[in-house]
Amino acid sequence: VQLVESGGGLVQTGGSLTLSCAASGTTFRIGSMGWYRQAPGSQREFVAVSSSGGATNYADSVKGRFTISRDYAKDTVYLQMRDLKPEDTAVYYCNAGVIVTGRPVNYDNWGQGTQVTVSS
């Protein structure tokens, strides 16, 4: 599966951005889709996830500011980010779980990343 992200950029503190990630190149069903981020010198961390059933979960650091949504028909996930802070600066990566009958869900599917920079 290929995951292509878009929507990153430079924004001032308090601003908003919306990231998109479209999955393609597989005939298997896409399960959960989510977002992770990695700041310079830090490990990649969980941001938000949307399950195949529509349940969502967020990291505490983004709750109330970020909203994840899905377009199931297009296998696309979005991350609406508002009230951005300098500590949100990172490369944001899309992740997807691919479901193959009879096998564990394959979560090792990542996009190339999109840079989000929040200036103070």
Side-chain angles (χ1 to χ4, degrees), residues 1 9 13 18 46-47 58 69 96 108:
V1 62
T13 297
T18 296
F46 167 77
V47 176
Y58 298 90
S69 59
D108 192 20

Side-chain angles (χ1 to χ4, degrees), residues 17-99:
L17 281 174
T18 296
L19 306 182
S20 301
C21 170
S24 64
T26 181
T27 57
F28 298 114
R29 189 162 68 95
I30 302 294
S32 64
M33 295 187 76
W35 294 92
Y36 289 71
R37 67 186 182 186
Q38 187 167 17
S42 299
Q43 291 187 333
R44 191 172 296 186
E45 63 176 10
F46 167 77
V47 176
V49 66
S50 173
S51 76
S52 57
T56 59
N57 193 26
Y58 298 90
D60 288 342
S61 59
V62 307
K63 280 181 181 177
R65 300 188 299 121
F66 291 10
T67 301
I68 190 169
S69 59
R70 297 268 297 266
D71 183 332
Y72 290 89
K74 296 180 179 179
D75 280 335
T76 299
V77 65
Y78 305 94
L79 186 68
Q80 296 174 283
M81 306 183 293
R82 61 177 180 85
D83 191 23
L84 283 161
K85 305 175 181 181
E87 51 264 41
D88 295 316
T89 295
V91 177
Y92 284 69
Y93 296 91
C94 177
N95 176 266
V98 176
I99 300 171

